[in-house]
Amino acid sequence: MEENVNKAIKYMLLASFLFALMGVSAKELSDNLSTIEVVFFRNVFGVFFILFSIYKSPLKQIGGKFWLLIFRGVAGFSALLFFFYNIANIPLGEAMTFSKTSTIFTALLAYFFLKEHIGFKGWIGVFIGFIGILFIAQFDGSTLKKTDYLGILSGVGAALAYTSIRELRKFYDSRAIVLSFMGVGTVLPLLFMIFSEFYTNPNLDFMLGTFMMPKSEDWIFIILLGIFSTYAQIYMTKAYSFAKAGIVGTVSYSNIVFSIILGLFMGDSFPSFIVLFGIILIVLSGIMVSKK
């Protein structure tokens, strides 16, 4: 048992580091490409990877929940879109922290829609998490910045995707569920980039952007983006197969630390005391909710 837990921790630490490297690759690409194009390249790599896997070993599933499958894809795509936009515009560690609020929103969605028990400690964790969000956003009672509300929406989108997976895994092969996310995340960016040829709106820059042919150095980061994200998913899945979700989920918050450190090397400023305090609150909240 202890050996399995140690393996789970090692796999999750590796996955967290790879997720942080994925963020670095996305941030580098954002200097030359729009967010919607970066999301396209992030997903199109995965589509070919999953299709090859299905070719080698055909799907074995019941099916029957097509629209829920599409919903999972749209929710996951939206979360990734908002996440990558934030990566391009705020420090990497803060963008990663916003995405990790998905644990809080998943608990709430599971409570209201799946009737899952949260418990007293879980509710305290949810409350602490929302306080942490206010600190990271440095909300002063007036308005939230675009990156703040998109960061929160990235957590909500991921939570919707995770919650739908709990139902979908009863009917579909896990590869079909991942393919729904990556397939939607490939097709919708193409449509948005075509639409952007005829319409522009600065307020919608997180989802609109014309296609720009990547430069030679961009292709290196596009390939790295695909490799890091794919293997991060693989090692995260392995981690959850060796230990309880509460243990693995706690270790997963190490990607915030990795992201802050890598962000500093990329020129990000070190988080202010207020932001750092907010990050700590969200990590504490996630741990409490995951162990409710």
Side-chain angles (χ1 to χ4, degrees):
M1 180 65 70
E2 184 178 347
E3 182 181 351
N4 285 344
V5 171
N6 289 335
K7 283 184 178 179
I9 292 173
K10 289 177 182 177
Y11 283 137
M12 194 65 242
L13 284 173
L14 179 56
S16 295
F17 184 60
L18 289 171
F19 274 125
L21 288 174
M22 178 195 77
V24 170
S25 301
K27 200 172 186 69
E28 284 290 337
L29 286 171
S30 297
D31 290 338
N32 298 322
L33 307 179
S34 65
T35 297
I36 196 69
E37 188 171 351
V38 176
V39 170
F40 166 76
F41 281 117
R42 153 67 177 84
N43 286 310
V44 73
F45 184 97
V47 167
F48 286 109
F49 183 87
I50 296 296
L51 287 177
F52 179 73
S53 173
I54 294 173
Y55 171 75
K56 297 291 288 184
S57 177
L59 298 173
K60 295 179 181 179
Q61 57 191 24
I62 301 172
K65 295 284 185 178
F66 176 75
W67 290 112
L68 184 59
L69 197 66
I70 297 299
F71 175 81
R72 183 270 182 268
V74 173
F77 158 70
S78 301
L80 185 66
L81 180 65
F82 303 147
F83 176 45
F84 275 13
Y85 181 83
N86 272 4
I87 282 177
N89 292 281
I90 63 176
L92 185 59
E94 292 179 32
M96 189 66 73
T97 304
F98 271 124
S99 73
K100 293 298 290 183
T101 61
S102 59
T103 304
I104 305 167
F105 295 114
T106 299
L108 290 174
L109 289 170
Y111 174 77
F112 287 111
F113 295 103
L114 303 180
K115 308 304 179 184
E116 291 188 7
H117 181 67
I118 292 183
F120 179 75
K121 187 168 70 173
W123 281 113
I124 294 296
V126 169
F127 176 75
I128 290 174
F130 280 111
I131 297 299
I133 291 172
L134 293 178
F135 272 96
I136 292 181
Q138 300 183 58
F139 184 59
D140 59 4
S142 55
T143 58
L144 291 171
K145 299 189 294 293
K146 180 190 289 188
T147 51
D148 293 331
Y149 68 74
L150 288 181
I152 295 169
L153 287 174
S154 73
V156 173
L160 287 168
Y162 296 150
T163 304
S164 63
I165 288 172
R166 297 186 185 189
E167 181 69 14
L168 285 168
R169 64 188 178 189
K170 302 174 186 176
F171 301 90
Y172 290 96
D173 186 305
S174 60
R175 292 171 298 169
I177 299 173
V178 174
L179 185 61
S180 72
F181 158 54
M182 293 184 173
V184 170
T186 299
V187 173
L188 286 186
L190 280 174
L191 295 177
F192 282 133
M193 284 189 284
I194 293 172
F195 182 68
S196 297
E197 294 287 347
F198 309 98
Y199 177 78
T200 59
N201 187 332
N203 294 321
L204 299 177
D205 58 340
F206 60 90
M207 62 185 293
L208 298 178
T210 56
F211 180 83
M212 299 287 292
M213 181 57 67
K215 299 177 182 178
S216 55
E217 61 268 24
D218 291 333
W219 285 109
I220 297 173
F221 285 105
I222 287 171
I223 293 171
L224 290 175
L225 181 68
I227 292 173
F228 291 146
S229 58
T230 300
Y231 279 95
Q233 291 285 345
I234 290 172
Y235 284 113
M236 181 179 70
T237 303
K238 283 187 175 183
Y240 277 104
S241 69
F242 278 106
K244 293 181 178 179
I247 296 173
V248 179
T250 299
V251 179
S252 73
Y253 283 92
S254 60
N255 64 11
I256 296 176
V257 178
F258 290 135
S259 296
I260 291 174
I261 293 172
L262 291 174
L264 292 175
F265 282 106
M266 298 185 71
D268 289 345
S269 58
F270 190 80
S272 66
F273 174 78
I274 293 177
V275 171
L276 193 60
F277 185 62
I279 291 173
I280 293 171
L281 287 179
I282 287 178
V283 172
L284 176 61
S285 164
I287 293 172
M288 292 178 69
V289 171
S290 63
K291 291 186 175 181
K292 60 184 185 296

